[in-house]
Amino acid sequence: MAAQKINEAHEHIAKAEKCLKTSLTKWKPDFDSAASEYAKAAVCFKNAKQYEQAKDAYLKEAEYHTENKTLFHAAKAIEQAGMMMKEQKKMPEAIQYIEKACMMYMENGTPDTAAMALDRAGKLIEPLNLEKAVDLYQKAAGVFENEDRLRQAVELLGKASRLLVRLKRLDEAAAALQKEKNMYKEIENFPMCFKKTTAQVLVHLHRGDYVAADKCVRESYSLPGYSGSEDCVAMETLLQGFDEQDEDQVYRVCNSPLLKYMDNDYAKLAISLKVPGGGGKKKKAAAAPQGGSSGAPAAAADEDDEYEGGLC
């Protein structure tokens, strides 16, 4: 079966070469027919699992589509060449071809196709190279944003933000989350703004920037429905516990279902959050009778609680 497919492929290549020949009666090469024959040859090689030869055939197809000024079809062929590299586990080369195809999609005036191809490339490379995946998702998001396709853009930005957290590039993650939040606000998806605020707080606290975490919550009070919401109360409680070095309070919030069932990368941030120099209130809480309210009067007595109104 494989041998038969390889023979068929070579027959298509022979036909393609014939299409390219010129003569006294045929002045111009028939690039369109040549591209078509190379496309058929590529499929035959692919079916025979001859991926390197299939890649070469797709590149030839792309070359003749380019000569014929059919850039969209040329880009498609180059993207397929990338997929043949993927079949050979040559991922960096695969991504290079897909990125090249995306540039051609953009030149051809089909940015949506370019963005979707970048997204696919990101998924391919993510298990091997998180940094490259972030780059591809951000590029795809940028393309969609330029087209005012904010719902698609913000979804891809979300993928990039989560990977930045996984890479511990927290300054960049904080900036990416702010951009996500702004987009969700623009499309009036306020519940997602709440979730992004929670993610921001976790990232800022891991960065050691309490002031930035507090600012995120305060800025979110302007979002419809945020003040007094479950997300808001949890973050006020978390910041209060952090400020007062109350390890028990921080632990309770970070292990609550609201945070534990976030996207995995953010849930890990919550579970691993530590109070700097913690222990200030833990001993008092341990000495008091069991019950959630026992620590509250002591906390109120120690200092004025600027978050008290939000916690009622």
Side-chain angles (χ1 to χ4, degrees):
M1 177 70 177
Q4 183 187 340
K5 287 293 175 189
I6 292 167
N7 286 337
E8 279 181 41
H10 286 296
E11 285 169 17
H12 287 300
I13 290 170
K15 286 179 185 175
E17 287 170 354
K18 194 174 177 183
C19 294
L20 295 168
K21 285 180 180 171
T22 55
S23 65
L24 289 172
T25 55
K26 184 189 166 196
W27 293 1
K28 289 177 70 178
D30 183 354
F31 292 124
D32 187 41
S33 298
S36 176
E37 291 298 335
Y38 269 111
K40 291 171 186 172
V43 171
C44 289
F45 281 132
K46 182 168 74 170
N47 290 340
K49 295 187 166 37
Q50 300 298 305
Y51 299 120
E52 187 66 26
Q53 288 171 285
K55 176 210 70 172
D56 291 340
Y58 278 124
L59 291 178
K60 280 288 187 184
E61 179 197 352
E63 180 186 333
Y64 297 126
H65 276 308
T66 304
E67 289 282 358
N68 204 38
K69 296 185 171 51
T70 48
L71 279 188
F72 181 82
H73 295 298
K76 275 285 182 195
I78 289 172
E79 191 180 347
Q80 282 301 312
M83 298 311 288
M84 295 306 96
M85 290 288 93
K86 176 224 166 193
E87 292 294 342
Q88 296 178 76
K89 307 287 190 285
K90 295 179 180 177
M91 295 308 293
E93 293 94 331
I95 300 308
Q96 282 175 0
Y97 281 124
I98 295 171
E99 285 191 283
K100 185 178 178 182
C102 290
M103 294 297 292
M104 293 178 79
Y105 287 134
M106 294 292 288
E107 287 171 34
N108 185 61
T110 49
D112 283 9
T113 310
M116 288 186 284
L118 287 167
D119 181 21
R120 284 195 293 274
K123 287 173 191 164
L124 286 179
I125 202 71
E126 192 177 313
L128 303 173
N129 186 334
L130 292 179
E131 286 90 350
K132 186 61 183 174
V134 167
D135 176 52
L136 291 165
Y137 290 142
Q138 288 179 330
K139 281 179 181 172
V143 173
F144 275 131
E145 188 180 0
N146 288 340
E147 295 299 303
D148 286 327
R149 299 275 299 276
L150 294 189
R151 282 179 175 79
Q152 288 84 353
V154 77
E155 187 182 324
L156 287 156
L157 269 182
K159 292 182 182 184
S161 300
R162 290 193 291 275
L163 294 188
L164 286 167
V165 167
R166 204 177 304 171
L167 287 162
K168 297 185 168 50
R169 285 160 55 181
L170 297 183
D171 290 356
E172 292 169 76
L177 280 163
Q178 184 61 48
K179 192 168 184 182
E180 275 189 81
K181 190 164 143 184
N182 292 343
M183 279 193 190
Y184 277 121
K185 187 176 179 181
E186 201 170 329
I187 61 177
E188 298 187 345
N189 186 339
F190 298 117
M192 283 304 293
C193 291
F194 302 173
K195 301 301 175 198
K196 296 304 162 186
T197 299
T198 299
Q200 282 181 303
V201 169
L202 292 170
V203 167
H204 284 311
L205 292 178
H206 270 276
R207 290 176 62 239
D209 194 341
Y210 176 90
V211 174
D214 184 54
K215 185 183 175 189
C216 284
V217 174
R218 292 182 180 281
E219 285 177 347
S220 294
Y221 288 148
S222 64
L223 296 169
Y226 184 70
S227 188
S229 68
E230 184 184 16
D231 301 84
C232 177
V233 171
M235 289 306 96
E236 289 173 334
T237 308
L238 177 62
L239 288 169
Q240 181 194 42
F242 218 78
D243 189 39
E244 297 176 358
Q245 295 189 347
D246 186 336
E247 288 182 341
D248 282 348
Q249 186 161 315
V250 169
Y251 178 85
R252 281 197 301 274
V253 176
C254 287
N255 284 271
S256 66
L258 185 71
L259 272 66
K260 279 175 80 173
Y261 297 119
M262 292 179 77
D263 285 315
N264 201 35
D265 293 297
Y266 300 123
K268 284 180 180 176
L269 282 185
I271 291 164
S272 62
L273 191 62
K274 296 283 184 284
V275 178
K281 294 289 169 68
K282 194 170 185 181
K283 287 173 186 171
K284 287 185 185 178
Q290 286 194 342
S293 61
S294 59
D302 282 346
E303 57 185 286
D304 292 328
D305 178 13
E306 60 182 309
Y307 301 108
E308 190 177 358
L311 289 166
C312 291

